[in-house]
Amino acid sequence: MRIYLLPKEGQFYKANLHTHTTVSDGAWTPEEVKKQYKERGYSIIAFTDHDVMIDHSDLAEENFLPLRGYELEVGEIQDIPKEERVRDSKTCHMCFIALEPDNRTQVCWHREKYLGWGNMHQYAGQIKFDESLPDYERFYSAEKISEMMQIGRNNGFFVTYNHPAWSLETANEYMNYDGMHAMEICNFGCWEIGYEDYVPGIYDEMLRGGKRIFCTATDDNHNKGANPTHDSFGGFTMIKADKLEYRTVTKALERGDFYASMGPEIYDLYVEDGMIHITCSPAVRISMNTGKRHAKAVWAEQEKTLCEATFPLRENSIYFRLDVMDERGRHANTRAYFLDELNG
């Protein structure tokens, strides 16, 4: 029997799930973000400006879907200027993406704090929050960050853990966070400026430590400097869904019907007769990693490429995930598939 890991039916939609605009500290307006990304084949943008969730549903078209979200930060040191805090101390950033199209209520909100990023204070009056709740105080601790992630989940948000290298975090921190749906296996904006934020090893570390999470690739674009596109169009998530409709797309996110990429494309992924099958765009290496010491790689012959591979499915692997690497050294990563998913 053939078990499709990426759905057989539906269409792939190219998405950036971590985006900044002039609403906070980005250089492009939401309209310019839409224009630039649409021109490069993107269909979905999650607008995740710092700490302010603004409705951009007016940008929706037949072939373009804006998702509503925001990015939250919890800093190791809160009582020093933001510039020093960003440069010198550990921090945790996470994106909350609203799963329902009518969810406009921010959580973990404070009426006075956490409004220090760019233009965000100008939009504070547009934020909807539960006024019956006290102001939410953030503290840099595993317990508080896990609480925030769980509050996000409980209030209908898809929660991602962002750029651990840029954040200066180690296993001492992220292994103790609970509640994320996914982590950024690639944050292109951070990777492009020199941080080691293509982090498949951290993803495996989390998986082997017991976390059942997905992985995304994002831009985290701010579009500043001499080359405003330097942090854009390099990390994306390919979501497979039946149609480009808000709840259909976010349900695909919840199911893990997507893969993360810096360039290569994955076309088919399925299990049949004890073998894992993948087809993809031209690659120099296709590899499999697992929860045990069962890694395996298929390499193209010299000066050639390959577009498919098969790997044996071993019963005690716990999970497996695949990695496609192209001639430029850019990667596409599937999420982890746990063997008990295939059996039930």
Side-chain angles (χ1 to χ4, degrees), residues 147-181:
E147 178 183 275
M148 292 175 67
M149 289 179 174
Q150 197 60 55
I151 289 172
R153 290 181 77 111
N154 292 346
N155 286 273
F157 290 93
F158 186 83
V159 178
T160 67
Y161 170 62
N162 303 340
H163 47 58
W166 180 91
S167 299
L168 303 181
E169 294 203 300
T170 68
N172 290 333
E173 288 81 39
Y174 54 71
M175 291 303 294
N176 293 305
Y177 299 158
D178 294 314
M180 67 185 81
H181 289 93

Side-chain angles (χ1 to χ4, degrees), residues 294-308:
H294 298 161
K296 186 175 178 59
V298 178
W299 289 84
E301 296 181 15
Q302 189 173 10
E303 299 183 357
K304 294 184 178 180
T305 58
L306 68 160
C307 294
E308 61 181 345

